[in-house]
Amino acid sequence: MANHQDETRAAYDGVVELYASLFADRLETQPFARAMIGTFAELVRATGNLQTADVGCGPGHLTAMLHELGLDAFGLDLSPGMVDHARRAHPALRFQEARMESLPIEDGVLGGILAHYSMIHTPPGELPKLLAEQGRVLAPGGLLLVSFFGTDGPEPVQFDHKVTPAYSWPADRLAELLADAGLVPFARLLHDPASERGFLDSYLLARRS
C-alpha cells in the first residue's frame, strides 16, 4: 500500500495550486453533488454527533462547506501540500496529514465521514481495509458518504486520471464492500456528467450498523 500512496502523495503535492483553483467554486456548478452533501450533512446533524471528518480533503473547500452546513468538520489528507494550502485558505478549521488506512481518530467517535473522490486511487484489493477503517472511527449510526467514478461493468476498471492512476467502480460492487465493513448502504445517486471518459458520477450513502 505504501508504494501507491507515496506516488499519490507526490502527485498531489505537485498540483496543489492548480487543483485548488479548479475546485474553488465548492460545487456551485455541480447540483447533484451539492444535493448529496447537503443530505449527508442534514442526516449527520440529526444524529446529534456533529464531529465529521472530510477524508481526503484536498485544499479544504468541502471541509469549509460542511462547517457552513452546521457540522464540526475537520480535514485529513495524505498530501502535506494540500494540508498546508487548506490551513492557509481556512485558518479557522482543523487540518491534518493522515493516511486513510490508519486515521488518527479514536474508535467510534465520529458522526460522519465524507470521502469525496478520495478513495479512487486505492487499488481494489486494498479498498476493504480503508472501508474497515472508516467503520472503526464512526459511531454506531454514523454516516459515510462516498463519491466515486461509476462504471456499468461487473468489476472496477483502472484508468489514467489526470493526477495519478485511479479506478472506477460498479455501484453494486462497492455497496457490497461497504456492507462487508459494517456500513449499510441506504441511498445512492448515479448520474451522467457528460464526461469524456464515459463514467458516471456516483454517490453511496451508508450508515454504520
Side-chain angles (χ1 to χ4, degrees), residues 107-184:
D107 294 355
V109 299
L110 296 182
I113 295 174
L114 175 66
H116 187 71
Y117 291 95
S118 55
M119 299 184 186
I120 62 172
H121 303 296
T122 302
E126 297 174 7
L127 192 59
K129 184 175 182 179
L130 264 64
L131 295 176
E133 182 71 350
Q134 318 305 304
R136 178 187 70 80
V137 300
L138 277 171
L143 295 140
L144 169 67
L145 177 60
V146 180
S147 310
F148 58 100
F149 294 108
T151 183
D152 291 328
E155 297 295 334
V157 176
Q158 184 175 1
F159 67 95
D160 291 328
H161 187 272
K162 291 182 179 179
V163 180
T164 191
Y167 298 84
S168 62
W169 278 85
D172 287 343
R173 183 75 186 99
L174 187 53
E176 290 174 0
L177 294 184
L178 286 166
D180 290 343
L183 301 161
V184 182

Side-chain angles (χ1 to χ4, degrees), residues 2-151:
N3 288 339
H4 91 77
Q5 288 201 349
D6 290 344
E7 292 171 0
T8 299
R9 180 180 59 229
Y12 275 97
D13 274 346
V15 296
V16 171
E17 298 305 324
L18 174 60
Y19 189 94
S21 68
L22 290 174
F23 294 99
D25 65 0
R26 291 193 300 174
L27 309 182
E28 273 84 352
T29 61
Q30 300 178 47
F32 292 107
R34 287 202 314 276
M36 286 301 287
I37 292 175
T39 299
F40 163 77
E42 181 176 347
L43 293 174
V44 173
R45 291 197 306 270
T47 71
N49 182 353
L50 303 182
Q51 293 190 74
T52 301
D54 180 7
V55 178
C57 65
H61 56 302
L62 297 186
T63 316
M65 183 177 178
L66 293 174
H67 175 73
E68 292 171 3
L69 290 170
L71 302 181
D72 181 12
F74 61 95
L76 303 171
D77 202 276
L78 178 66
S79 161
M82 289 290 184
V83 170
D84 180 66
H85 184 282
R87 286 171 173 166
R88 288 184 283 109
H90 309 285
L93 302 180
R94 295 170 289 148
F95 297 95
Q96 182 177 345
E97 185 180 346
R99 290 179 178 264
M100 294 182 71
E101 82 282 5
S102 55
L103 298 172
I105 303 170
E106 295 180 1
D107 294 355
V109 299
L110 296 182
I113 295 174
L114 175 66
H116 187 71
Y117 291 95
S118 55
M119 299 184 186
I120 62 172
H121 303 296
T122 302
E126 297 174 7
L127 192 59
K129 184 175 182 179
L130 264 64
L131 295 176
E133 182 71 350
Q134 318 305 304
R136 178 187 70 80
V137 300
L138 277 171
L143 295 140
L144 169 67
L145 177 60
V146 180
S147 310
F148 58 100
F149 294 108
T151 183

